[in-house]
Amino acid sequence: MINMDELNKARKRINEIDHAMAELFERRMEAVESVIAYKQAHNMAVLDSGREQEVIQRNCAFIRQERYLPYYEQMIKGMMHISKEYQKACIHHDTIAYAGTLGAFSHIAAKQLFPDSKLIHLPTFAQVVEAVETGEAAYGVLPFENSYTGEVGENLDLILSHNIYIHRMYDLKVEQHLMGIKGAQLSDIKQVYSKDQAIFQSRKFLEGRDMELIPYPNTALAAQYVAEMQDKHKAAIAARESAELYGLSILAEHINTSWDNTTRFIVIGKQPPKTGNRVALVFTTPHVSGALAKVMACIGEYGFNMESIHSRSIKEEPFAYYFYVELVAHLHSKEFSALYEALKQVCKSIKIAGSYEMESRENR
């Protein structure tokens, strides 16, 4: 039986080995940086499956004690994963993903938020989230809420179900225009294509007109479709930039019902934020009487101001709901940490959804 003295000696030996491994880890990552530089110079992909398998097999051959082999293989695979994550973080550190295509409001917001970065457009909101999670993009830009039509529920769901964090909020004034092909007149239009929210935002203008309203994945794709069809009876509701990009004529300007039509965009990242004077939380409550009231009371008792709350149905649980709240708080403060621990006791589940800087409502 091993005695305490022998245990302490073993632990000391482990500490010495860990120190040596830390130094070797740094040397390995420095070598990885040279690989990154070569891949960037030659426009190569991060993943090289053949090379990865070769490294695993070669390193496993160094193990002489058979009982250690499966565990060592796990460690090597872990090292390879870390290497790929670091390579993607370096190669795509300046890549920003948004949903839609050129001319979409998400594209306009991304350009204004990241004017000097590489922008990539993806077909769906979910694919933007996936690009951020996998490291193919450093950040993603998503619409979150409109001052006239309300929240973009799909993106609230993505925040709940994925390991992403809100890093920034950005308000973009949205101006909707009706556009058609060159030579078309407003009286020619029979079908109008656009994102469902854009159609709703323009409802007052569209009322009483003999036009078929056809939802489309986003405003810019609707404009692109109208341009491709070259049919004077078709029009799109989109931003002025879309008309310029796809060679369309604006048939009616500023058709959104609200002149103060604003869409709030979020910037999402993979790592938890480090700063900000607002904290977003997503939580569920037990299905018992007064459960939500307990959460609200807890927030008040700890002295935090809640600026907004949204409820949303949980797709996998009929008639069950989750909640999104925005608190005036600093994520890494002792006061918020105390509140978070208290909320864990009254919530069924809880997740920090992000932290970001916002002006107080008095200054907006």
Side-chain angles (χ1 to χ4, degrees):
M1 180 181 293
I2 190 169
N3 59 40
M4 182 58 69
D5 185 53
E6 290 171 323
L7 175 63
N8 289 333
K9 287 180 180 178
R11 286 174 171 172
K12 182 181 178 182
R13 193 160 64 250
I14 288 172
N15 291 340
E16 291 170 350
I17 294 169
D18 285 345
H19 182 215
M21 287 177 66
E23 292 179 344
L24 290 171
F25 176 78
E26 287 187 336
R27 287 169 57 187
R28 191 182 198 283
M29 296 304 281
E30 287 168 359
V32 168
E33 288 172 350
S34 297
V35 173
I36 293 169
Y38 183 87
K39 286 184 176 180
Q40 286 181 305
H42 294 83
N43 198 28
M44 293 172 63
V46 169
L47 179 61
D48 184 344
S49 300
R51 161 72 180 167
E52 186 171 324
Q53 196 56 40
E54 175 193 331
V55 170
I56 293 170
Q57 290 178 354
R58 185 180 66 252
N59 279 278
C60 285
F62 297 143
I63 296 299
R64 290 173 292 182
Q65 302 288 345
E66 189 71 22
R67 64 184 182 276
Y68 301 146
L69 183 57
Y71 306 101
Y72 183 74
E73 184 176 350
Q74 286 182 35
M75 189 185 81
I76 290 298
K77 287 180 178 178
M79 290 288 292
M80 297 294 289
H81 175 74
I82 291 168
S83 175
K84 287 184 290 185
E85 290 293 296
Y86 185 57
Q87 288 183 56
K88 284 191 281 190
C90 291
I91 291 173
H92 302 297
H93 77 281
D94 203 31
T95 300
I96 312 300
Y98 66 91
T101 189
L102 298 178
F105 286 107
S106 292
H107 176 229
I108 296 167
K111 281 198 304 181
Q112 294 185 14
L113 283 161
F114 301 96
D116 300 318
S117 297
K118 175 187 174 184
L119 305 182
I120 59 171
H121 58 90
L122 299 169
T124 67
F125 299 144
Q127 285 171 296
V128 171
V129 171
E130 183 182 353
V132 173
E133 281 192 312
T134 61
E136 297 302 318
Y139 296 101
V141 177
L142 297 171
F144 191 63
E145 187 176 7
N146 181 264
S147 59
Y148 186 72
T149 56
E151 69 199 34
V152 182
E154 180 182 348
N155 287 335
L156 263 178
D157 294 343
L158 289 169
I159 289 170
L160 173 70
S161 59
H162 290 264
N163 292 319
I164 56 172
Y165 299 90
I166 302 170
H167 284 243
R168 187 173 175 184
M169 295 274 191
Y170 178 73
D171 292 348
L172 176 71
K173 187 171 176 58
V174 173
E175 295 179 348
Q176 305 286 10
H177 308 285
L178 186 72
M179 55 195 68
I181 65 171
K182 300 292 184 183
Q185 302 295 320
L186 183 58
S187 58
D188 296 325
I189 303 306
K190 299 299 179 186
Q191 295 94 28
V192 176
Y193 300 81
S194 194
K195 177 72 176 168
D196 51 0
Q197 284 203 332
I199 292 172
F200 188 78
Q201 290 165 20
S202 310
R203 184 174 58 179
K204 188 173 181 180
F205 172 85
L206 297 168
E207 281 178 355
R209 299 179 186 273
D210 187 21
M211 297 175 178
E212 182 184 3
L213 307 179
I214 305 170
Y216 219 71
N218 65 63
T219 57
L221 285 175
Q224 186 180 43
Y225 171 74
V226 170
E228 290 171 352
M229 294 304 293
Q230 285 297 299
D231 182 344
K232 71 175 185 178
H233 300 300
K234 299 183 185 297
I237 299 172
R240 188 179 297 276
E241 285 85 347
S242 292
E244 296 168 356
L245 278 168
Y246 301 113
L248 298 175
S249 296
I250 293 180
L251 308 178
E253 294 184 312
H254 308 294
I255 67 171
N256 34 276
T257 302
S258 171
W259 283 92
D260 195 28
N261 190 19
T262 302
T263 294
R264 174 162 290 174
F265 286 84
I266 56 174
V267 175
I268 59 168
K270 186 177 180 179
Q271 300 301 324
K274 296 181 180 179
T275 60
N277 61 4
R278 297 294 187 278
V279 175
L281 297 174
V282 177
F283 64 88
T284 61
T285 60
H287 192 55
V288 295
S289 177
L292 180 59
K294 288 182 180 179
V295 176
M296 300 297 100
C298 186
I299 291 171
E301 286 169 8
Y302 278 79
F304 286 89
N305 179 27
M306 184 176 66
E307 287 199 328
S308 68
I309 181 169
H310 302 268
S311 64
R312 178 89 173 152
S313 62
I314 300 173
K315 298 296 183 289
E316 299 78 14
E317 299 180 39
F319 309 110
Y321 300 85
Y322 70 89
F323 301 90
Y324 170 93
V325 298
E326 181 183 87
L327 304 178
V328 180
H330 292 275
L331 180 62
H332 300 291
S333 67
K334 292 180 180 178
E335 294 79 6
F336 176 75
S337 295
L339 169 65
Y340 191 66
E341 290 303 315
L343 287 173
K344 286 181 181 179
Q345 306 305 312
V346 294
C347 293
K348 182 179 177 181
S349 66
I350 187 167
K351 169 189 173 182
I352 294 172
S355 179
Y356 37 87
E357 198 73 25
M358 292 283 284
E359 289 185 0
S360 65
R361 288 188 171 175
E362 292 77 10
N363 298 328
R364 292 181 198 172

